[in-house]
Amino acid sequence: MDITILGIESSCDDTSASVIRNGVLLSNVIASQSVHESYGGVVPELASRAHQQNIVPVVHEALKRAGVDKSELSAVAFTRGPGLLGSLLVGTSFAKSFAQSLNIPLVDVNHLQAHVLAHFIQEPDVEPVQPKFPFLCLLVSGGNSQIILVKGYTDMEVIGQTIDDAAGEAFDKCAKVMGLPYPGGPFIDKLAKEGNPLAFQFNKPHIAGYDYSFSGLKTSFLYFLRDQIKINPDFIEENKADLCASLQKTIIDILMKKLEQAAKDLHVNQVAVAGGVSANSGLRNAFIDYGQRKKWQVFIPKFAFTTDNAAMVAITGYFKYKAGDFCDVSLPPFSRVTF
Ligand code: KG4
């Protein structure tokens, strides 16, 4: 019998719904919220309101594009957390009432696990290339930077994580200092292509084990600019591309060094990357480069599955559905927690 899952994602500022049938993607609709751009960051209250406006049309569109009637759904999977509580409440409440009205099971999904399992989304008429267990996944987003040992679809161990800022935050905060729009990661990526990555050097942290730290880099970047602007007020404008390229190289070097160590220590040669920052072209190239040099088999997600999307929620829901792992309607969302 077919297993048809509706996935719902509303953890931050993207309202998304997706339909997956037997592991194959039928639709993935994302409504992004431009309302936050002028504030330089996501405003939680505005995000919740936008989710409320978007959720019904987005789900409707996902079902329509999939050519699936709601009566054909086997279960509703929703992002339970981590994320912004007000945003999560919209998706969670909708998923609960929709599942109850259809009298079908409800599946709660951890947003971070979903980013990792995005590698298992199968697209129609595309030969699947998927990692085999166990593999390592570098999960890098605006809220998280983790190295995860993935032993099974829902058996994951975080072996390293940031002790302060996430890699995406480092991109965004440094971009803000340079006067770039929010979120700054994609702008740094674009400008870095024109710059010299060896033009400037920034401090790299010395943290034990596989953990990361990015707050020192952000401070060192800020102080460096402050000192240079005293000498030349146009320093940022005149050196923007080189600054972006050097900063991006530093962040990538920090990320890859720990990942390389983890792969070596754990004798794992299947290595994946996931999360919003995995859209970064420098990081994607670094993966290809490491793959060739270290004989890793690398897995880089399609751009559409790097940022928040409901397809990754639906695929996680599919695996949990097959394992009979359902949840009760009383289950509340959570804002923080890893796995
Ligand atoms: O996973 P995501 O969409 O949201 C969560 O944090 O859950 O990640 C958003 C982050 C932002 O910090 C954004 O600047 C970063 O991903 N990002 C990038 C790029 N595209 C998105 N960072 C660097 N280069 C990019 N091309």
Side-chain angles (χ1 to χ4, degrees):
M1 211 174 89
D2 285 336
I3 301 175
T4 309
I5 308 289
L6 170 70
I8 292 173
E9 157 65 30
S10 72
S11 65
C12 192
D13 59 340
D14 292 306
T15 319
S16 181
S18 164
V19 179
I20 276 187
R21 176 168 283 162
N22 303 327
V24 179
L25 184 68
L26 299 185
S27 67
N28 184 35
V29 177
I30 304 175
S32 300
Q33 304 175 0
S34 55
V35 63
H36 309 285
E37 276 162 18
S38 53
Y39 295 91
V42 177
V43 184
E45 177 59 29
L46 295 180
S48 317
R49 286 189 208 178
H51 282 305
Q52 281 179 329
Q53 285 168 349
N54 294 342
I55 189 89
V56 172
V58 164
V59 169
H60 182 76
E61 187 62 23
L63 288 168
K64 195 171 132 200
R65 282 192 205 172
V68 165
D69 186 81
K70 58 187 188 303
S71 62
E72 297 170 60
L73 293 175
S74 313
V76 181
F78 67 99
T79 302
R80 187 182 166 209
L84 297 171
L85 211 49
S87 292
L88 288 164
L89 271 168
V90 178
T92 304
S93 310
F94 181 90
K96 286 177 178 177
S97 37
F98 202 50
Q100 271 198 313
S101 70
L102 297 170
N103 199 23
I104 55 175
L106 194 59
V107 183
D108 64 305
V109 169
N110 180 311
H111 181 78
L112 303 178
Q113 283 189 347
H115 268 302
V116 176
L117 294 182
H119 285 282
F120 294 91
I121 299 167
Q122 283 178 50
E123 293 186 88
D125 308 321
V126 177
E127 188 66 31
V129 185
Q130 300 174 348
K132 291 186 186 66
F133 305 117
F135 66 92
L136 281 175
C137 186
L138 176 70
L139 173 54
V140 269
S141 69
N144 297 278
S145 295
Q146 301 180 324
I147 300 178
I148 302 164
L149 178 61
V150 189
K151 302 174 213 170
Y153 292 119
T154 52
D155 184 6
M156 303 186 193
E157 186 189 343
V158 178
I159 59 168
Q161 59 189 318
T162 179
I163 58 168
D164 41 54
D165 290 349
E169 254 174 305
F171 271 110
D172 296 342
K173 287 179 179 171
C174 292
K176 195 171 178 178
V177 180
M178 288 187 283
L180 295 172
Y182 176 86
F187 291 93
I188 291 185
D189 190 356
K190 196 162 171 239
L191 285 160
K193 289 184 181 130
E194 314 292 321
N196 173 9
L198 302 174
F200 305 109
Q201 303 241 308
F202 303 109
N203 288 346
K204 290 188 187 141
H206 298 283
I207 309 289
Y210 309 128
D211 283 343
Y212 290 119
S213 166
F214 288 101
S215 69
L217 171 63
K218 177 191 66 191
T219 312
S220 126
F221 189 73
L222 182 70
Y223 287 174
F224 173 75
L225 290 185
R226 196 189 55 186
D227 293 346
Q228 295 300 322
I229 288 168
K230 275 187 203 151
I231 304 164
N232 171 12
D234 297 326
F235 180 79
I236 295 181
E237 274 316 309
E238 288 172 9
N239 296 280
K240 220 172 226 174
D242 285 350
L243 283 167
C244 289
S246 303
L247 176 73
Q248 180 169 296
K249 178 179 166 20
T250 309
I251 294 174
I252 293 169
D253 285 352
I254 296 170
L255 290 171
M256 295 309 289
K257 202 161 186 298
K258 295 278 172 135
L259 187 64
E260 180 185 2
Q261 192 61 46
K264 191 171 166 217
D265 294 347
L266 299 171
H267 308 289
V268 174
N269 67 355
Q270 303 230 354
V271 187
V273 62
V277 180
S278 67
N280 183 271
S281 57
L283 184 59
R284 294 168 91 89
N285 288 338
F287 260 72
I288 295 166
D289 175 49
Y290 269 71
Q292 283 162 356
R293 284 193 293 115
K294 304 282 165 194
K295 308 262 179 291
W296 291 352
Q297 192 178 357
V298 294
F299 300 89
I300 301 168
K302 252 183 89 167
F303 282 109
F305 305 138
T306 57
T307 44
D308 292 346
N309 65 86
M312 66 185 195
V313 178
I315 194 72
T316 308
Y318 170 70
F319 292 124
K320 288 188 82 171
Y321 181 94
K322 289 217 298 184
D325 190 354
F326 307 130
C327 79
D328 188 77
V329 282
S330 63
L331 204 69
F334 60 83
S335 57
R336 298 197 76 83
V337 167
T338 49
F339 282 80

